[in-house]
Amino acid sequence: MPAVKWYWVNKNAFGLYSKGAVGAAFLSSTEKDFATGKSNDDNGTYFMFQLSFIGVEFGKQFRGFTEAGIGEQGFLLAGIRYKF
């Protein structure tokens, strides 16, 4: 999902931010009932979003981060990323 990140604090080895992301998910599935032999197709486009109210990151090149918010990525998100 494309995202926009707003930094409240952006220091060399520390960052405090909020993030918003929106996107779409495309679903295409076929379900078959073996008892009757009938198939049911389900196709659709679904709206997706992520709002991370607060995010904290530490480190210089390799940065550890954690975020708290709501949406497709969940309530808590944590990981490591590389900053170019």
Side-chain angles (χ1 to χ4, degrees):
M1 281 187 291
V4 175
K5 198 185 270 191
W6 297 274
Y7 277 95
W8 304 104
V9 176
N10 191 11
K11 301 290 183 183
N12 191 25
F14 173 77
L16 183 66
Y17 60 91
S18 297
K19 182 175 80 173
V22 294
F26 305 102
L27 173 68
S28 178
S29 66
T30 302
E31 195 175 278
K32 184 171 183 177
D33 186 349
F34 289 106
T36 62
K38 293 183 180 180
S39 294
N40 183 22
D41 293 330
D42 185 15
N43 298 312
T45 303
Y46 301 96
F47 174 74
M48 296 171 35
F49 74 97
Q50 178 69 32
L51 294 175
S52 295
F53 303 112
I54 189 76
V56 179
E57 55 188 13
F58 294 97
K60 293 189 180 190
Q61 290 299 115
F62 284 98
R63 299 189 85 151
F65 68 91
T66 185
E67 298 177 6
I70 59 171
E72 297 297 320
Q73 295 175 333
F75 295 106
L76 293 174
L77 180 66
I80 297 173
R81 69 180 182 88
Y82 183 77
K83 184 178 180 183
F84 292 99

